[in-house]
Amino acid sequence: MLDALRIPEARPRSSAAPVLAVRGLSVTAGGRRQVLRDIDLDIAPGSVLCIIGPSGAGKTTLLRCLNRLVDLVPDLTVSGDVRFHGAPIYARGVDVDALRARIGMIFQQPAVFPGSIADNVLFGVRHTGRLPRRALPERLERALREAALWSEVAHRLDERAASLSVGQQQRLCLARALAGEPEVLLLDEPTSALDPQSTEAIEELILRLRERHAVVLVTHNLGQAERLADSVACLTVRSDGAGELEPR
C-alpha cells in the first residue's frame, strides 16, 4: 500500500526526542487472539503521522493504546512499552484522566454530550478540576477559536450542542479536546462522516494544529494522507489476523 502513496517532502524539524515512543506494542483479545503484534512507532512533536491500512488491521485499537482508552475495552490485554516524554504510560500510579487530557482523541462520529455548546467544550476541564472557575470563559473561547468554530457559535454558546451541523459537531469535539491543552491529538477518521466542504475545513485545521500539537491521524483516504502527512505508518493483516506494521 505504501508504494501507491506519494508523501510530500517532510517539513524541516528539529532532532527533538519523540513526544510518544511505542516499542513492541502488542494487544491480545480474550487472552488468545492477537489484535496487534510488535508495533514500533515514534511520534515527533509538531508533525502529522497518518496511519493507514485495511479494515480489521487494528488502527483504532492502536490509537486507543496511545492514551489508554483501550483500558475501557473489555478483554483486551496490552503488552510492550508506550512512553510519553520518556515516561511509561502503563506504569502503576499514572493519572489516566490527566494523560487523556494531554493526549486527546477525536472519534469517527462526533460524540456530543447532552447540554450546551459551552458545556461540551468545558466538560473535560471541569471533570479534572484543574482550572479555576474564573478561567473557564477564556479557555472556552481559546479552544473554540483554535478549532475554527468561535465565529460561528460565539452568540449561541448556551444553545444545545446537538443543534449544530455534523461538521460543526466534529469541530466542537475537537474544541473539547483542545480545551485540555493536549500535546498530542489522536484523530480516528475524523472526516469520514463529513461532506467535502467540512472535510476541507478539518484538513486545513489539522495543518494549522500541527504547529502546536503532534497529530496522529487514522485515515482510509490515501489522498488525505498525501495532503497532510509528514510520515505514514501502514498496518497490514497477518495470516493469523493480527495487525502489524508494513516495513518501509
Side-chain angles (χ1 to χ4, degrees):
M1 183 178 289
L2 288 176
D3 291 341
L5 185 64
R6 298 188 188 90
I7 300 300
E9 185 176 348
R11 298 178 300 115
R13 56 176 177 259
S14 70
S15 58
V19 62
L20 272 171
V22 180
R23 296 292 181 270
L25 177 72
S26 296
V27 178
T28 305
R32 300 181 62 183
R33 182 178 67 86
Q34 272 206 312
V35 179
L36 291 171
R37 179 182 176 87
D38 291 334
I39 303 297
D40 291 347
L41 278 177
D42 285 334
I43 293 99
S47 69
V48 177
L49 167 67
C50 282
I51 300 175
I52 61 175
S55 296
K59 300 183 297 296
T60 295
T61 299
L62 175 55
L63 278 194
R64 289 174 178 269
C65 288
L66 299 182
N67 71 350
R68 289 191 52 175
L69 276 175
V70 73
D71 294 2
L72 306 179
V73 183
D75 298 324
L76 290 187
T77 302
V78 177
S79 60
D81 192 30
V82 181
R83 292 182 177 256
F84 180 51
H85 290 299
I89 72 170
Y90 285 91
R92 287 178 182 238
V94 169
D95 184 337
V96 178
D97 285 339
L99 176 74
R100 292 172 187 158
R102 296 179 70 186
I103 307 174
M105 185 162 177
I106 312 300
F107 299 95
Q108 184 173 357
Q109 297 289 336
V112 299
F113 304 147
S116 70
I117 292 168
D119 288 340
N120 267 260
V121 175
L122 296 174
F123 178 85
V125 293
R126 283 174 171 159
H127 175 69
T128 58
R130 289 184 169 86
L131 196 67
R133 181 182 296 271
R134 64 180 181 277
L136 292 177
E138 180 184 354
R139 183 67 61 87
L140 171 66
E141 179 175 347
R142 187 166 64 198
L144 286 168
R145 285 189 183 280
E146 195 171 9
L149 195 55
W150 176 253
S151 63
E152 298 169 40
V153 302
H155 60 292
R156 49 190 294 207
L157 296 175
D158 293 328
E159 293 185 18
R160 293 171 56 251
S163 67
L164 298 174
S165 70
V166 175
Q168 288 174 322
Q169 287 182 24
Q170 191 65 298
R171 282 182 285 149
L172 182 70
C173 293
L174 182 56
R176 185 169 61 217
L178 291 169
E181 298 190 326
E183 296 179 56
V184 182
L185 288 168
L186 311 176
L187 309 181
D188 189 7
E189 297 190 66
T191 63
S192 64
L194 304 183
D195 59 70
Q197 184 176 359
S198 297
T199 294
E200 183 178 359
I202 292 289
E203 289 186 359
E204 291 175 356
L205 190 52
I206 290 170
L207 291 174
R208 292 201 301 271
L209 288 171
R210 74 177 176 185
E211 298 302 324
R212 292 185 54 198
H213 312 270
V215 178
V216 185
L217 170 68
V218 165
T219 181
H220 279 293
N221 185 329
L222 296 185
Q224 185 171 77
E226 289 181 2
R227 290 189 293 273
L228 300 180
D230 293 298
S231 57
V232 172
C234 180
L235 284 174
T236 60
V237 182
R238 293 161 41 95
S239 59
D240 61 2
E244 67 177 2
L245 283 178
E246 179 179 302
R248 293 302 301 263

